[in-house]
């Protein structure tokens, strides 16, 4: 998907208020009605129609009809703009350059950061190839309904930034993390190449040992990468390996920790045998080489990405895999994966909470208001919600 930030300079404060209002409204509406957008954006009169019309034309939101009303929802381009606007205010992204990478679950760009230094912007896009399989028939989110791809992507970005920050602070060879907002992560730009692009190395055995030592060192710090392979390892000119891409990372206390540990080891062994003709009888074993000496997994939880977030992300990905198995084949989706999103594109879902009540935002409702039709309470995520009172009680 293309990232075209040019329109950012021409967008007004009201445009961003409308985008933010749709994002907030999407927490419990898949299609956000215009009156709710106007209320959340604090826009009066018919002005809302002009703003949503302009945003639809710019392909930052999409309009949809259901049986009750015409509404709007955020698409990835609009979500990109919200993140870029926030990071530009912080000074972590001041201009966007060329795209340097594209993956199944992310897009990567070179951008200019503070003092015009070149850095990397990674946009998480979970479910890119399978989002066309998911069909929605109701516009109001139920507790058992899967949240949106954007919500999942935000969790994935939060997780990557949290793990990268903790690893960097403990001198692991990872890029320096700079900023994170919504589904975007900004990190250091390194002069290195992916291992998968390297056909020859001077000493395959030495590199093999460095990588296996890294797997063991991670485990001793309570972590398992979970996707330790030639795609997620960069090699600098001096031969130093750099580890990237952390959304799959788990704690050594995870129920499937041994499986993930062994898979990481097997990926490296298989690659070195196939690419360099190198095979060693020595390799780490989970029971012998993963005795935890440090608790970086605990520090990650303390840094902002909690165990609850981890469990939720795993459940979301598990639900995604179930939907993939029940839906159409990925091959059909991949042929359309790079199409431009039309204003009426229904492939993108809204940023959603899993609670089917109205989340109170920015103190727009008084929790002490004695409204006979509503009551205020906390949901399981700690949000204050306004719930319709059950008249039978």
């Amino acid at each position: 998907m293309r990232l075209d930030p040019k329109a950012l300079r021409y967008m007004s404060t009201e445009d961003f208020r409308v985008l933010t209002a749709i994002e907030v409204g999407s927490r419990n509406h898949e299609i956000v009605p215009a009156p709710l957008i106007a209320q959340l954006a604090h826009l009066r009169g018919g002005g809302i129609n002009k703003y949503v019309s302009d945003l639809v034309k710019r392909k930052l939101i999409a309009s949809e009809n259901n049986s009750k009303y015409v509404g709007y929802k955020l698409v990835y381009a609009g979500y990109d703009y919200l993140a870029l606007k926030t990071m530009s205010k912080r000074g972590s992204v001041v201009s966007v350059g060329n795209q340097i990478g594209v993956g199944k679950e992310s897009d990567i760009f070179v951008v200019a950061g503070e003092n015009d230094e070149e850095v990397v912007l990674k946009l998480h896009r979970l479910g890119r190839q399978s989002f066309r399989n998911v069909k929605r028939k109701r516009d109001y989110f139920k507790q058992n309904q899967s949240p949106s791809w954007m919500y999942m992507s935000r969790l994935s970005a939060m997780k990557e930034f949290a793990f990268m920050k903790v690893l960097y602070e403990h001198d692991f060879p990872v890029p320096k993390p700079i900023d994170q907002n919504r589904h975007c992560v900004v990190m250091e730009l390194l002069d290195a190449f992916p291992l998968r692009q390297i056909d020859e190395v001077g000493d395959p055995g030495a590199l093999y040992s460095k990588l296996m030592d890294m797997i063991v060192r991670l485990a001793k710090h309570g972590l398992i990468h979970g996707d330790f392979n030639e795609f997620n390892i960069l090699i600098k000119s001096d031969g130093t390996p750099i580890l990237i891409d952390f959304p799959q990372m788990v704690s050594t206390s995870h129920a499937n920790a041994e499986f993930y540990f062994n898979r990481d080891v097997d990926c490296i062994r298989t690659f070195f045998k196939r690419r360099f003709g190198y095979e060693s009888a020595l390799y780490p074993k989970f029971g012998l080489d993963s005795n935890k000496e440090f608790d970086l997994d605990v520090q990650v939880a303390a840094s902002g990405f909690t165990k609850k977030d981890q469990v939720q992300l795993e459940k979301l990905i598990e639900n995604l895999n179930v939907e993939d198995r029940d839906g159409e084949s990925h091959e059909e989706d991949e042929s359309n994966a790079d199409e431009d999103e039309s204003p009426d594109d229904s492939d993108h879902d809204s940023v959603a909470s899993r609670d089917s009540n109205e989340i109170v935002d920015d103190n727009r409702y008084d929790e002490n208001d004695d409204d006979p039709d509503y009551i205020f309470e906390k949901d399981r995520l700690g949000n204050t919600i306004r719930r319709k009172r059950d008249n039978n009680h």
Side-chain angles (χ1 to χ4, degrees):
M1 176 179 172
R2 292 191 297 270
L3 174 64
D4 183 5
K6 294 178 181 177
L8 270 171
R9 68 186 69 176
Y10 306 114
M11 292 179 63
S12 65
T13 301
E14 289 75 17
D15 288 326
F16 279 102
R17 283 166 59 185
V18 171
L19 277 180
T20 303
I22 296 175
E23 180 184 24
V24 172
S26 295
R27 290 175 180 169
N28 47 17
H29 287 81
E30 186 175 6
I31 306 172
V32 187
L36 179 58
I37 298 172
Q39 178 185 355
L40 294 173
H42 295 292
L43 294 174
R44 300 184 181 278
I48 188 65
N49 296 325
K50 173 185 179 298
Y51 293 116
V52 295
S53 177
D54 288 345
L55 292 172
V56 167
K57 290 178 181 178
R58 292 172 177 169
K59 300 183 180 180
L60 302 180
I61 63 174
S63 63
E64 277 200 6
N65 299 328
N66 66 10
S67 59
K68 298 179 181 179
Y69 59 85
V70 176
Y72 303 88
K73 64 181 183 179
L74 204 60
V75 299
Y76 262 121
Y79 205 39
D80 294 345
Y81 271 37
L82 285 171
L84 286 174
K85 181 70 172 179
T86 299
M87 291 189 292
S88 67
K89 287 183 177 180
R90 297 173 181 170
S92 54
V93 175
V94 297
S95 64
V96 178
N98 296 327
Q99 184 170 2
I100 60 172
V102 58
K104 182 176 65 174
E105 299 172 346
S106 64
D107 289 325
I108 303 172
F109 296 82
V110 173
V111 300
E114 195 172 12
N115 301 322
D116 291 330
E117 179 186 7
E118 286 191 336
V119 293
V120 170
L121 172 67
K122 179 176 180 180
L123 295 88
H124 288 246
R125 303 200 191 280
L126 262 64
R128 178 208 302 277
Q129 295 184 8
S130 57
F131 63 79
R132 295 175 186 271
N133 292 336
V134 182
K135 307 300 179 183
R136 305 281 194 243
K137 295 183 179 179
R138 298 182 298 276
D139 80 302
Y140 204 78
F141 281 92
K142 308 300 181 183
Q143 285 196 3
N144 293 329
Q145 187 176 1
S146 295
S148 73
W149 303 116
M150 293 183 196
Y151 180 65
M152 293 169 65
S153 296
R154 182 176 71 86
L155 281 182
S156 180
M158 288 172 58
K159 178 178 180 179
E160 175 157 46
F161 188 79
F163 276 98
M164 195 189 313
K165 187 172 185 294
V166 168
L167 290 172
Y168 183 81
E169 290 171 350
H170 287 80
D171 297 322
F172 277 85
V174 300
K176 178 183 178 181
I178 297 173
D179 197 7
Q180 182 266 322
N181 182 260
R182 294 176 173 87
H183 63 314
C184 298
V185 176
V186 180
M187 68 190 81
E188 174 187 14
L189 175 63
L190 295 170
D191 184 13
F193 293 91
L195 179 59
R196 65 182 175 86
Q197 295 180 3
I198 297 176
D199 295 324
E200 295 182 6
V201 294
D203 188 346
L207 180 57
Y208 174 89
S209 295
K210 287 180 181 178
L211 297 178
M212 292 302 179
D213 287 345
M214 194 185 303
I215 293 175
V216 171
R217 186 182 172 208
L218 282 169
K220 289 185 180 297
H221 282 73
L223 299 173
I224 299 171
H225 187 274
D227 201 15
F228 199 97
N229 57 47
E230 66 272 20
F231 293 91
N232 296 325
I233 298 168
L234 305 179
I235 305 297
K236 298 178 70 173
S237 58
D238 62 0
T240 302
I242 304 294
L243 188 60
I244 61 172
D245 203 20
F246 308 102
Q248 302 284 342
M249 186 164 271
V250 298
S251 167
T252 49
S253 60
H254 190 279
N256 297 321
E258 184 172 3
F259 167 79
Y260 292 125
F261 182 92
N262 292 337
R263 187 175 66 179
D264 283 353
V265 171
D266 290 341
C267 281
I268 296 302
R269 297 186 73 208
T270 300
F271 176 77
F272 270 72
K273 182 179 180 179
R274 183 182 70 248
R275 177 65 59 87
F276 306 125
Y278 178 86
E279 186 173 12
S280 174
L282 301 176
Y283 56 91
K285 299 175 179 61
F286 183 75
L288 298 176
D289 300 302
S290 61
N291 296 323
K292 186 164 65 172
E293 300 174 359
F294 303 94
D295 289 314
L296 291 193
D297 50 338
V298 175
Q299 293 188 36
V300 168
S303 71
F305 187 83
T306 65
K307 290 184 178 180
K308 180 186 290 186
D309 293 327
Q310 170 73 20
V311 171
Q312 187 177 25
L313 182 58
E314 289 178 3
K315 287 182 178 179
L316 299 182
I317 294 175
E318 180 181 349
N319 290 339
L320 166 62
N321 293 334
V322 170
E323 287 172 340
D324 286 347
R325 290 194 295 269
D326 293 341
E328 300 167 359
S329 67
H330 281 193
E331 286 75 9
E332 294 181 16
D333 296 327
E334 290 173 5
S335 63
N336 298 319
D338 294 325
E339 290 180 358
D340 289 338
E341 291 80 0
S342 65
D344 294 322
D345 193 343
S346 61
D347 299 329
H348 300 285
D349 297 313
S350 54
V351 183
S353 164
R354 291 171 66 89
D355 293 284
S356 56
N357 296 298
E358 183 176 1
I359 296 177
V360 176
D361 182 70
D362 293 336
N363 298 317
R364 291 193 173 92
Y365 300 100
D366 183 1
E367 295 184 41
N368 297 316
D369 184 14
D370 188 19
D371 190 330
D373 295 326
Y374 293 91
I375 60 176
F376 290 88
E377 59 187 23
K378 294 286 186 180
D379 68 3
R380 63 184 183 282
L381 298 179
N383 299 309
T384 301
I385 59 174
R386 192 177 73 150
R387 181 169 63 81
K388 188 78 172 178
R389 188 183 300 276
D390 187 351
N391 293 327
N392 295 326
H393 294 82

